[in-house]
């Protein structure tokens, strides 16, 4: 009996495991370099267009039947594809009371119709606002054959349903197991190799080996999500200093780490995550904070400064928004990382949500559900733009600098630049903003 | 990712709402998505907190009044989707063909009624001096003194009150708002 189990272990250790490892590290990259990924993506796009057209035909038939349906434009599919902004209302160019009436500081009498402005803004906010939109997944212009994105499911046509069923089977029975195995494999490799590297003495060789290993592990992990990433402007990659990027999901880290090595920052966790953190720390210097320490802004700042000033250490990767946003906009950057000094290397990440929405809505799904969604999506397709390094100007406040960097990232990634704080996901907005509005309005009124 | 609750909006309901409010099929489904995304408790109705959670509404000086007007339609404390749509429908822009239509849900009359109710805090169909004062206070915050606000309120009542009862009725309100371009200002362009 003991012989059987030990021989089984040997069998696994010496034959199956290396096969899987070689498969993942050699064969799959070989295939992807053949452009198989491109073919896969093209097939998917064709399927999505087919699905959209079907739904469009169905919808237009419906609307014509309705009594008061407004005329749909002819070229529906095209119109949908162009619709980058998924706004529900058209906001009038902020015709605030100011612009309408005042010339300089001219004041006017109060009128009962002054409430119209606030009414309309209130209704506009209720129908559609720029903040709550950011915390739920963005609408897709065309259906991507996943039920989770189909907001009004109706039976449209047999062919569409068959296509969906095929897709479902493919994703759950083919992709999911393969991806799961890949994740397990890569985590194992990672743990073993970092343990080995940890034993090496500190030297240039250690850093070199660790870099190679880290790239390899992250790339395998990226395959586990079928990540198809296009990197632009690689010459702007971070060399020391701090790298900042917009945050959409935990996968951002993997996407960025496939191309370059970074030092991570975060709170110390227990359990599995803690184990990974410790493994990472064996091969490279990362910055992990205790929960109590992370409240102390000065301590955090000091540690970051210390890390940045050491030329041997890797660039720090920070997500200044502090929370996951849904990749249609960039929210307020916290100024902490911009006070440290040193060079900032901005990075813009934009996901193509048609193939799989990477956004993690942490109030709706927990981590396990999220990972399941990721692993049963078609693919994670994204673009990464490395922007030229930026420095804080003389006399510039950290907040202004943060806004400047945010603006650059938003422009490059084609995202909306918002001033709102990402923490509004969980907390209520400050009273001060309301007081501002009241003050502005009161300035307009003529008083005795 | 898309909301499961939206599977519950049936075709008949959409058609009814279309007839009642004049929104198109697309607009209704998208506003339904919006409704469900605001409904944190997922019970098919919005509470005041759900609406006031919207940051842009929370910082609006008259935000709470606007929310209150949603609740006038039906049972207190909860707004269902029909009531939500009915209130939003008031703000649909007027079609050119509707110029003389007094009955439409988004007619000039209805828009003026909404504005009237903004001031009429106790819903007695009359706007009193106190009510004007309270709403003024909401709009200007602490930036203008009580006496100054008082004199503004007095002047407002004086100008609009034609029958001398020191309060503004709905007819007097409409008369005073004749030139106020209510159709443009109280309209929100809903995209299809």
């Amino acid at each position: 009996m003991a012989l059987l189990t030990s021989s089984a272990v040997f069998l696994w250790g010496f034959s199956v495991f290396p096969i899987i490892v070689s498969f993942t590290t050699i064969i799959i990259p070989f295939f992807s370099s053949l452009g198989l990924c491109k073919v896969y993506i093209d097939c998917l796009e064709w399927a999505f267009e087919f699905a959209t057209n079907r739904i469009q035909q169905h919808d237009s038939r419906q609307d014509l039947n309705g009594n008061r349906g407004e005329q749909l434009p002819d070229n529906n599919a095209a119109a949908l594809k162009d619709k980058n902004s998924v706004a529900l209302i058209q906001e009038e160019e902020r015709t605030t009371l100011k612009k309408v009436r005042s010339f300089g500081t001219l004041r006017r009498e109060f009128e009962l119709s002054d409430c119209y402005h606030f009414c309309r803004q209130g209704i506009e906010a209720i129908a559609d606002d720029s903040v709550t939109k950011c915390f739920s997944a963005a609408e897709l212009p065309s259906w991507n054959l996943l039920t989770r994105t189909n907001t009004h499911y109706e039976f449209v046509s047999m062919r569409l349903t068959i296509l969906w069923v095929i897709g479902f089977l493919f994703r759950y029975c083919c992709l999911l197991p393969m991806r799961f195995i890949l994740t397990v494999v890569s985590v194992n490799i990672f743990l073993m190799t970092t343990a080995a590297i940890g034993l090496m003495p500190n030297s240039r060789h250690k850093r070199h080996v660790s870099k190679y290993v880290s790239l390899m592990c992250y790339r395998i992990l990226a395959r586990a999500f079928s990540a198809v990433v296009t990197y632009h402007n690689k010459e702007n990659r971070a060399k020391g200093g701090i790298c900042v990027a917009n945050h959409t999901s935990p996968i951002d880290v993997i996407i960025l780490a496939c191309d370059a090595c970074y030092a991570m920052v975060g709170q110390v966790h227990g359990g599995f995550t803690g184990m990974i953190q410790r493994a990472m720390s064996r091969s490279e210097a990362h910055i992990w904070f205790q929960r109590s320490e992370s409240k102390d802004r000065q301590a955090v700042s000091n540690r970051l400064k210390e890390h940045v000033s050491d030329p041997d250490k890797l660039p720090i990767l920070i997500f200044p928004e502090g929370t996951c946003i849904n990749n249609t906009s960039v929210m307020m950057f916290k100024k902490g990382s911009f006070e440290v000094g040193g060079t900032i290397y901005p990075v813009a990440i934009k996901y193509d949500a048609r193939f799989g929405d990477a956004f993690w809505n942490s109030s709706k799904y927990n981590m396990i559900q999220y990972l399941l969604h990721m692993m049963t999506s078609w693919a994670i397709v994204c673009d990464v733009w490395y922007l030229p390094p930026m420095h804080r100007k003389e006399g510039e406040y950290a907040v202004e600098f943060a806004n400047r960097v945010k603006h650059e990232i938003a422009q490059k990634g084609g995202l909306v630049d918002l001033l709102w704080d990402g923490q509004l996901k969980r907390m209520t907005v400050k009273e001060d903003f309301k007081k501002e509005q009241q003050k502005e309005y009161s300035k307009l009124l003529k008083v005795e | 990712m898309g909301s499961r609750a939206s599977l519950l909006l049936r075709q008949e309901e959409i058609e009814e709402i279309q007839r009642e409010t004049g929104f198109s099929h697309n607009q209704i489904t998208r506003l339904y998505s919006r409704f469900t995304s605001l409904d944190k408790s997922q019970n098919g109705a919005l509470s005041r907190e759900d609406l006031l959670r919207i940051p842009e509404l929370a910082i609006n000086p008259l935000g709470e009044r606007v929310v209150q007007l949603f609740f006038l339609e039906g049972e207190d404390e909860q707004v269902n989707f029909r009531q939500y749509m009915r209130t939003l429908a008031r703000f649909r822009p007027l079609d050119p063909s509707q110029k003389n239509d007094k009955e439409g849900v988004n007619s000039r009359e209805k828009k003026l009624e909404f504005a009237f109710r903004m001031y009429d805090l106790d819903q007695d169909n009359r706007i009193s001096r106190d009510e004007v004062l309270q709403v003024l206070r909401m709009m200007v915050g602490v930036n203008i003194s009580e006496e100054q606000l008082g004199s503004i309120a007095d002047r407002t009542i004086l100008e609009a009150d034609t029958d001398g009862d020191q309060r503004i009725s709905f007819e007097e309100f409409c008369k005073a708002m004749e030139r106020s371009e209510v159709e443009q200002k109280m309209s929100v362009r809903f995209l299809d």
Side-chain angles (χ1 to χ4, degrees):
Chain A
M1 193 61 205
L3 197 61
L4 219 58
T5 42
S6 53
S7 54
V9 169
F10 273 122
L11 197 69
W12 163 256
F14 288 105
S15 56
V16 179
F17 191 60
I19 292 179
I20 297 183
V21 170
S22 55
F23 184 69
T24 56
T25 50
I26 302 171
I27 299 184
I28 292 187
F30 174 67
F31 272 122
S32 53
S33 65
L34 282 182
L36 211 64
C37 285
K38 191 78 185 30
V39 173
Y40 177 58
I41 300 284
D42 287 340
C43 283
L44 287 175
E45 278 187 353
W46 174 86
F48 296 163
E49 248 194 74
F50 173 76
T52 319
N53 281 333
R54 280 286 146 154
I55 296 185
Q56 267 318 99
Q57 284 173 23
H58 181 79
D59 270 352
S60 57
R61 245 179 276 133
Q62 290 229 317
D63 239 351
L64 288 174
N65 286 340
N67 292 357
R68 293 232 242 151
E70 279 149 42
Q71 280 297 338
L72 289 174
D74 283 328
N75 225 354
N76 252 321
L80 275 182
K81 275 216 184 114
D82 287 331
K83 224 189 331 194
N84 269 326
S85 67
V86 283
L88 281 162
I89 54 174
Q90 170 136 358
E91 284 184 30
E92 306 298 332
E93 321 97 40
R94 293 281 162 197
T95 48
T96 57
L97 293 169
K98 250 195 277 199
K99 280 193 202 150
V100 173
R101 312 278 190 164
S102 76
F103 309 113
T105 52
L106 206 65
R107 286 169 179 249
R108 52 172 194 75
E109 305 274 343
F110 168 74
E111 283 170 37
L112 285 169
S113 54
D114 282 354
C115 77
Y116 291 172
H117 169 74
F118 292 116
C119 280
R120 195 179 71 203
Q121 289 214 315
I123 295 288
E124 279 177 355
I126 291 179
D128 194 19
D129 79 305
S130 42
V131 180
T132 36
K133 262 203 302 212
C134 295
F135 300 137
S136 58
E139 248 185 75
L140 289 173
S142 57
W143 189 38
N144 63 353
L145 296 174
L146 300 171
T147 21
R148 64 186 88 122
T149 51
N150 195 345
T151 48
H152 52 284
Y153 173 73
E154 295 159 36
F155 180 79
V156 173
S157 86
M158 197 43 152
R159 267 184 270 182
L160 197 57
T161 315
I162 291 182
L163 197 59
W164 178 79
V165 168
I166 295 177
F168 181 81
L169 289 173
F170 178 61
R171 283 184 294 119
Y172 276 83
C173 304
C174 218
L175 292 181
L176 180 59
M178 194 171 79
R179 288 176 179 166
F180 187 68
I181 294 176
L182 276 177
T183 321
V184 168
V185 164
S186 74
V187 170
N188 277 328
I189 295 179
F190 182 69
L191 291 173
M192 289 190 309
T193 46
T194 46
I197 294 175
L199 297 171
M200 288 170 72
N202 264 336
S203 71
R204 211 167 43 88
H205 296 295
K206 177 179 180 183
R207 285 198 293 279
H208 193 73
V209 173
S210 133
K211 177 174 167 183
Y212 180 72
V213 161
S214 131
L215 281 177
M216 181 184 76
C217 288
Y218 279 115
R219 281 176 188 163
I220 303 179
L221 203 51
R223 292 270 174 271
F225 294 102
S226 297
V228 180
V229 192
T230 319
Y231 297 97
H232 305 266
N233 305 344
K234 286 198 192 183
E235 66 275 6
N236 289 328
R237 256 192 298 207
K239 306 165 191 58
I242 299 183
C243 180
V244 299
N246 57 317
H247 199 31
T248 306
S249 88
I251 298 191
D252 290 342
V253 172
I254 301 178
I255 303 261
L256 289 179
C258 281
D259 195 44
C261 296
Y262 299 99
M264 310 288 169
V265 182
Q267 269 183 13
V268 173
H269 287 95
F272 184 68
T273 325
M275 185 171 73
I276 301 286
Q277 286 178 329
R278 281 193 298 278
M280 287 166 85
S281 298
R282 272 185 216 119
S283 54
E284 275 299 334
H286 296 279
I287 306 179
W288 306 120
F289 290 106
Q290 297 294 341
R291 187 165 274 266
S292 48
E293 262 184 297
S294 62
K295 297 279 192 277
D296 182 357
R297 306 259 310 252
Q298 198 51 42
V300 170
S301 189
N302 284 340
R303 273 185 79 175
L304 290 177
K305 279 201 184 99
E306 211 186 293
H307 187 109
V308 168
S309 49
D310 186 344
D312 285 336
K313 297 212 172 127
L314 297 169
I316 307 180
L317 181 58
I318 292 190
F319 297 104
E321 280 162 316
T323 188
C324 292
I325 312 293
N326 77 346
N327 209 234
T328 55
S329 16
V330 185
M331 299 192 97
M332 188 177 98
F333 274 7
K334 304 252 178 306
K335 62 179 176 159
S337 26
F338 297 92
E339 289 172 326
V340 169
T343 322
I344 300 279
Y345 295 89
V347 176
I349 308 178
K350 178 84 177 119
Y351 289 88
D352 187 344
R354 287 178 298 164
F355 300 99
D357 192 349
F359 170 57
W360 181 27
N361 190 344
S362 49
S363 49
K364 215 169 170 187
Y365 306 107
N366 62 29
M367 185 52 126
I368 306 292
Q369 282 172 318
Y370 170 70
L371 286 178
L372 192 66
H373 281 156
M374 284 295 102
M375 292 205 185
T376 53
S377 305
W378 298 110
I380 307 290
V381 179
C382 65
D383 285 285
V384 173
W385 286 275
Y386 292 105
L387 289 129
M390 297 171 84
H391 294 95
R392 191 163 149 189
K393 292 193 189 135
E394 279 297 317
E396 197 181 19
Y397 287 120
V399 176
E400 287 167 0
F401 181 39
N403 282 337
R404 198 159 56 91
V405 175
K406 175 160 71 80
H407 183 71
E408 289 299 315
I409 293 184
Q411 272 212 315
K412 198 66 182 194
L415 305 163
V416 176
D417 186 5
L418 290 181
L419 292 173
W420 295 96
D421 186 348
Q423 297 309 312
L424 285 172
K425 205 191 223 177
R426 292 177 196 103
M427 61 176 213
T428 48
V429 69
K430 292 197 218 137
E431 274 286 310
D432 298 341
F433 292 110
K434 191 195 252 191
K435 298 208 170 89
E436 268 286 318
Q437 291 225 5
Q438 287 170 330
K439 197 155 142 205
E440 286 304 314
Y441 174 66
S442 59
K443 283 195 196 145
L444 293 177
L445 286 186
K446 194 155 84 166
V447 287
E448 280 88 67
Chain B
M1 323 267 180
S3 163
R4 288 252 176 81
S6 55
L7 293 174
L8 302 175
L9 193 66
R10 293 185 316 276
Q11 191 53 36
E12 308 91 65
E13 273 192 74
I14 299 183
E15 276 167 17
E16 265 181 62
I17 299 179
Q18 215 169 345
R19 270 193 297 273
E20 206 184 326
T21 62
F23 282 118
S24 75
H25 187 267
N26 262 356
Q27 286 169 340
I28 296 174
T29 41
R30 291 175 72 191
L31 283 169
Y32 190 73
S33 281
R34 170 70 175 170
F35 180 83
T36 42
S37 71
L38 291 174
D39 180 10
K40 283 275 153 28
S41 49
Q42 293 288 315
N43 60 349
L46 296 177
S47 66
R48 282 197 183 76
E49 291 77 38
D50 285 330
L51 287 171
L52 286 171
R53 206 177 284 125
I54 304 173
E56 281 167 19
L57 189 63
I59 65 170
N60 187 324
L62 293 183
E64 278 161 18
R65 285 302 303 155
V66 174
V67 170
Q68 183 59 32
L69 290 189
F70 271 84
F71 288 84
L72 285 183
E73 288 277 330
E75 320 102 59
D76 280 61
E77 306 326 313
Q78 294 284 318
V79 175
N80 67 26
F81 184 59
R82 298 292 279 270
Q83 293 155 5
Y84 178 78
M85 290 304 277
R86 257 181 242 133
T87 315
L88 286 181
R90 306 275 182 109
F91 285 80
R92 265 187 56 238
L94 275 173
D95 305 325
S97 57
Q98 274 185 291
K99 258 288 140 58
N100 295 320
D101 176 12
K102 289 246 160 103
E103 293 312 309
V105 69
N106 61 333
S107 66
R108 192 166 186 280
E109 275 244 327
K110 287 285 190 299
K111 292 184 199 285
L112 283 170
E113 201 188 317
F114 192 92
F116 182 78
R117 293 216 189 120
M118 287 289 279
Y119 288 101
D120 184 11
L121 299 170
D122 56 8
Q123 291 163 258
D124 63 353
N125 273 329
R126 293 279 185 280
I127 301 178
S128 68
R129 177 194 184 270
D130 260 342
E131 288 171 339
V132 176
L133 199 58
Q134 283 187 53
V135 176
L136 266 172
R137 179 56 73 198
M138 286 184 222
M139 288 201 266
V140 305
V142 300
N143 298 291
I144 299 186
S145 75
E146 193 72 26
E147 305 89 56
Q148 287 170 327
L149 278 187
S151 60
I152 295 178
D154 286 327
R155 187 185 53 78
T156 310
I157 300 278
L158 204 62
E159 281 177 3
D161 181 25
T162 48
D163 65 4
D165 64 348
Q166 303 299 319
R167 298 184 301 167
I168 308 177
S169 70
F170 184 52
E171 292 75 31
E172 290 165 350
F173 184 80
C174 290
K175 193 96 201 322
M177 298 289 106
E178 248 170 11
R179 300 266 188 86
S180 66
E181 300 170 343
V182 68
E183 294 95 331
Q184 285 95 302
K185 295 198 189 151
M186 293 278 271
S187 290
V188 172
R189 278 187 57 200
F190 292 91
L191 291 176
D192 201 7

